[in-house]
Amino acid sequence: MAGKDLCLFDIDGTLTLSRQPIDPKMLIFLFELQKRVDIGLVGGSDLEKIQEQMGDRNVEKAYQYVFAQNGLVAYKDGKLIGEESILEHMGEEKLQPFINFCLEYMSKLRLPAKRGNFVEFRSGLINICPVGRSCSQKEREEFAAYDEVHKIREKFIEAIQKKFPDLGLFYTIGGQISFDCFPTGWDKTFCLKHIDRDAYQNIHFFGDKTFPGGNDFELFSHEAVIGHTVTSPEDTMEQLNKMYFS
């Protein structure tokens, strides 16, 4: 028989401000929430960045589920239960021309700032960052505002799709400064492969990028999930208070 609910959470913009450490108030709130539901984190970043952002070097042991890289690296009760490799799946012959094109495209962009680490190769996906992931918080915010007006990331994705129409990659915009590229089907719904749905009464997902093209959309709109759009960590807590503490 189905038991309690499982609440899955995006991290950036949902549990924390984008790429900022989690507020102690949110940590306390999650501790109390975990007495009533099981909790799973579904982040686009790798485990190290999730550990850093959640303020816990053993975050994979703190919650029932921790899904890094959109669920392509999966932990349950602190144990690694699944890991995918985009390199093994696609091969160097397909990936290298794609990476070369992205670097060439970014070399021609004029932005408020450019720093380092434009292409981050993770085990399950490739993260493309026009401003460079080593940018400062101020430069991050400047790019986010610039991108809001000039649609740098949207146009970049359109250019990739035109150049490589049959590559078999899917693209999602997440956070403030980058977008993820991964094989079709390797979006955040991948985490559901590791969850026993019959064990839960309901599976809820909370995310801020729930619009089409956002990296929360596929999981938010999945038939097995009750999706919730949030606008900030404070909004996340407010919605959960109404659901479980009122």
Side-chain angles (χ1 to χ4, degrees):
M1 178 179 292
K4 54 187 173 181
D5 288 356
L6 170 64
C7 288
L8 301 173
F9 296 97
D10 166 56
I11 298 175
D12 273 1
T14 300
L15 295 181
T16 76
L17 297 176
S18 186
R19 282 304 299 147
Q20 294 298 300
I22 191 167
D23 191 297
K25 293 180 181 178
M26 177 62 85
L27 280 177
I28 294 170
F29 183 85
L30 292 176
F31 178 79
E32 293 300 320
L33 179 65
Q34 205 167 11
K35 296 176 182 178
R36 300 170 183 245
V37 305
D38 280 357
I39 290 177
L41 308 181
V42 191
S45 299
D46 58 30
L47 180 64
E48 184 177 355
K49 289 188 178 67
I50 292 174
Q51 290 171 334
E52 175 187 332
Q53 211 162 345
M54 295 297 292
D56 186 350
R57 299 304 299 177
N58 295 299
V59 70
E60 66 274 21
K61 299 178 181 178
Y63 303 99
Q64 282 71 38
Y65 293 97
V66 173
F67 299 109
Q69 300 183 45
N70 291 350
L72 301 173
V73 179
Y75 289 85
K76 180 180 181 182
D77 298 325
K79 297 180 180 180
L80 181 66
I81 58 173
E83 185 172 14
E84 300 298 325
S85 168
I86 188 172
L87 178 57
E88 291 182 9
H89 181 79
M90 296 189 65
E92 190 70 31
E93 289 187 4
K94 287 185 177 180
L95 285 176
Q96 194 165 140
F98 164 77
I99 293 172
N100 287 343
F101 174 81
C102 289
L103 290 170
E104 180 182 3
Y105 185 95
M106 286 186 284
S107 73
K108 298 175 182 177
L109 290 175
R110 178 69 181 177
L111 303 174
K114 279 188 178 180
R115 297 301 175 251
N117 196 6
F118 301 101
V119 177
E120 188 168 271
F121 197 95
R122 303 172 186 168
S123 63
L125 58 86
I126 297 173
N127 180 266
I128 304 295
C129 182
V131 65
R133 298 195 67 87
S134 58
C135 64
S136 67
Q137 182 62 30
K138 181 175 181 292
E139 291 161 346
R140 169 186 287 269
E141 292 169 359
E142 288 175 348
F143 175 82
Y146 190 83
D147 185 55
E148 184 71 25
V149 175
H150 298 281
K151 309 298 181 186
I152 298 299
R153 290 181 290 177
E154 287 185 25
K155 292 176 182 177
F156 198 161
I157 291 171
E158 289 173 1
I160 293 172
Q161 291 172 324
K162 183 177 180 180
K163 177 68 175 180
F164 302 101
D166 302 314
L167 193 57
L169 288 178
F170 191 78
Y171 312 92
T172 59
I173 294 173
Q176 294 179 300
I177 59 173
S178 65
F179 61 91
D180 291 332
C181 317
F182 46 83
T184 302
W186 286 21
D187 52 61
K188 285 188 176 181
T189 61
F190 202 90
C191 74
L192 296 175
K193 298 177 184 291
H194 301 291
I195 295 171
D196 179 5
R197 302 181 200 177
D198 294 333
Y200 295 103
Q201 183 173 342
N202 298 293
I203 299 176
H204 296 272
F205 172 66
F206 298 81
D208 66 318
K209 297 290 193 300
T210 58
F211 51 84
N215 69 343
D216 296 324
F217 176 74
E218 286 76 23
L219 186 54
F220 167 81
S221 58
H222 193 279
E223 60 182 8
V225 171
I226 302 170
H228 305 265
T229 301
V230 301
T231 57
S232 66
E234 290 75 20
D235 184 35
T236 302
M237 287 190 283
E238 183 177 342
Q239 291 192 37
L240 287 161
N241 266 321
K242 292 178 181 177
M243 291 171 61
Y244 294 110
F245 296 100
S246 61

